[in-house]
Amino acid sequence: MILFITRKYPPAIGGMERVSYRLTTEISQRRDARIIAWGGSQKYLPLFAISAFARALALGLAGEVELIHLGDLALGGLGYLLGRILRVPIVVTVHGLDVIYPNWFYQRVVSWVLPTFDAVIAISRATQAECLERGVRPARCFVVTNGVDPPPVDLPDRAEARNRLATTYGLSLSDRDVLLTTGRLVRRKGVAWFVEEVLPSIIHLSPGTVYLVVGTGPDEARIREAIVRTGLNDQVRLIGKVPNEDLWDAYRACELFVMPNIAVKGDMEGFGLVAIEAGLAERYVVASDLEGIRDAIVPPFNGDLVSPGDSTALAKTIANRLADPVGLDKLGRTARQFVTDRFGWHAIVDEYLRIFDACRRSTVKA
């Protein structure tokens, strides 16, 4: 039996939660598997870790566990102990920040336990590089990107999506070019920088542009300050966290999805799942050529990559795309096909099972 242990799971909402749910449920349909999951507040993580350890230990001592998969490296200590006691392969998926989290004690633990695992699955090449720097052997470190589901319902056309958003959130989107960013509002997302350094140039070239930001997070105050400083109150709309159906409406309502990420010491973009979701909604992406985003966007199939921090190049790239709406719609349709083929869950699960089977045959071990 494959035993999954994850601290990020529904009903909690987020990218890691969606990925963890799909990975575990897809593999459970193809192999004998069991899931120990936590879908509540992370402040209770110590209690979950104790419970998960006890449950996993009981299953392992009963001889039911052949391999343990950890949802992320925050559970690394738990996995290390279980591996030593049960003598079964331990596999962990790492996402980026869980590897580089800037705490000296955490980094000591990471450098100690990470190289001991039988396989480390990084969601991007950038994350893989961080693992290799911490002593993981290349033969045990694999890159398997996140998978993505198709939208849960048939998506509306742009006009219908805009009408629904306008009704729900009081937006005025008629006859405007809509740019969209979604995700947790932290500094590395670059939204405040984009508002202050890039958006004014875009609006100068395309005066009807409006920038929608979906999500919440600790950088929201900084973003609002940037809006005030630039006087773009009518061009930037922060609409907070939205239900899943409204999120897909937002994707469909925009002309172009933007990821203006900036480099932040002690933080990183592990992959870029929102770029893949935008592609599924037939929306092309313009993003910073940074970290794990490089594994989510493959120019010219689903987006353009621009040197991070280059405000002039980013503004010019976006403005040029907006100037060709027919071509942009064609690129969006191409993006959907590309994303479906490259990041569908069937192919992702095949890669996971290949690694799991190798571990169980002991071919991955040094």
Side-chain angles (χ1 to χ4, degrees):
M1 177 186 73
I2 300 169
L3 178 62
F4 291 99
I5 306 177
T6 175
R7 67 185 180 96
K8 294 281 192 177
Y9 213 73
I13 297 173
M16 284 181 64
E17 286 81 359
R18 293 197 301 274
V19 168
S20 186
Y21 175 77
R22 292 299 286 127
L23 176 65
T24 56
T25 54
E26 284 286 333
I27 290 182
S28 294
Q29 293 175 12
R30 296 165 64 173
R31 297 290 174 87
D32 182 19
R34 190 169 299 185
I35 305 163
I36 299 175
W38 174 244
S41 170
Q42 294 302 298
K43 69 181 180 180
Y44 298 115
L45 181 59
L47 295 177
F48 167 70
I50 294 170
S51 172
F53 177 78
R55 293 164 63 188
L57 187 61
L59 290 168
L61 293 176
E64 297 185 36
V65 179
E66 297 177 89
L67 178 143
I68 294 175
H69 174 268
L70 307 175
D72 72 310
L73 194 51
L75 300 173
L78 171 66
Y80 176 83
L81 291 175
L82 289 171
R84 289 298 179 267
I85 296 170
L86 299 178
R87 301 294 179 182
V88 297
I90 306 295
V91 180
V92 62
T93 295
V94 292
H95 303 263
L97 183 57
D98 56 339
V99 179
I100 70 167
Y101 183 71
N103 175 281
W104 70 270
F105 179 75
Y106 181 83
Q107 284 300 314
R108 289 287 296 272
V109 173
V110 165
S111 297
W112 175 37
V113 304
L114 190 58
T116 70
F117 295 139
D118 297 85
V120 176
I121 300 176
I123 65 170
S124 67
R125 289 169 294 172
T127 304
Q128 181 191 46
E130 296 292 342
C131 294
L132 297 177
E133 285 187 9
R134 288 160 176 79
V136 179
R137 297 177 185 178
R140 295 188 183 188
C141 196
F142 307 88
V143 176
V144 183
T145 64
N146 287 332
V148 66
D149 285 319
V153 295
D154 291 336
L155 295 177
D157 62 21
R158 182 177 281 113
E160 182 182 352
R162 290 188 174 191
N163 287 336
R164 295 206 297 227
L165 288 176
T167 300
T168 304
Y169 300 99
L171 304 174
S172 177
L173 304 178
S174 299
D175 300 321
R176 306 187 76 172
D177 287 331
V178 178
L179 305 178
L180 173 68
T181 294
T182 69
R184 187 164 183 263
L185 302 182
V186 293
R187 190 181 176 194
R188 77 168 187 270
K189 299 294 184 180
V191 174
W193 172 80
F194 181 78
V195 169
E196 198 150 18
E197 302 294 334
V198 183
L199 192 57
S201 297
I202 296 172
I203 292 173
H204 177 73
L205 297 170
S206 181
T209 301
V210 60
Y211 181 39
L212 294 186
V213 181
V214 175
T216 60
D219 213 42
E220 187 170 341
R222 187 196 300 264
I223 297 168
R224 293 190 183 280
E225 291 170 0
I227 294 170
V228 171
R229 281 195 298 270
T230 54
L232 297 178
N233 301 72
D234 294 331
Q235 288 82 18
V236 184
R237 297 298 305 271
L238 277 63
I239 60 176
K241 186 177 291 187
V242 304
N244 195 49
E245 58 270 22
D246 291 356
L247 175 61
W248 286 106
D249 280 348
Y251 283 129
R252 290 291 289 170
C254 74
E255 267 74 28
L256 196 62
F257 189 84
V258 295
M259 295 182 69
N261 287 51
I262 58 176
V264 174
K265 186 177 181 180
D267 200 359
M268 69 177 292
E269 194 71 48
F271 179 54
L273 186 62
V274 292
I276 307 306
E277 291 179 340
L280 285 176
E282 296 187 352
R283 294 299 175 257
Y284 200 68
V285 182
V286 175
S288 298
D289 187 5
L290 189 68
E291 300 161 346
I293 296 173
R294 299 182 180 118
D295 289 272
I297 296 175
V298 182
F301 299 105
N302 66 326
D304 296 321
L305 291 172
V306 179
S307 180
D310 190 337
S311 58
T312 301
L314 186 57
K316 183 177 179 180
T317 300
I318 291 172
N320 286 343
R321 290 301 184 193
L322 292 176
D324 181 16
V326 174
L328 193 54
D329 282 345
K330 182 178 179 180
L331 288 171
R333 292 189 294 272
T334 300
R336 180 181 177 114
Q337 188 61 55
F338 174 79
V339 166
T340 300
D341 294 341
R342 188 180 182 94
F343 300 103
W345 269 112
H346 184 81
I348 301 301
V349 167
D350 283 347
E351 285 296 300
Y352 267 86
L353 291 177
R354 181 183 64 79
I355 295 167
F356 289 175
D357 290 342
C359 287
R360 292 158 77 178
R361 293 193 304 266
S362 300
T363 58
V364 175
K365 294 183 179 181

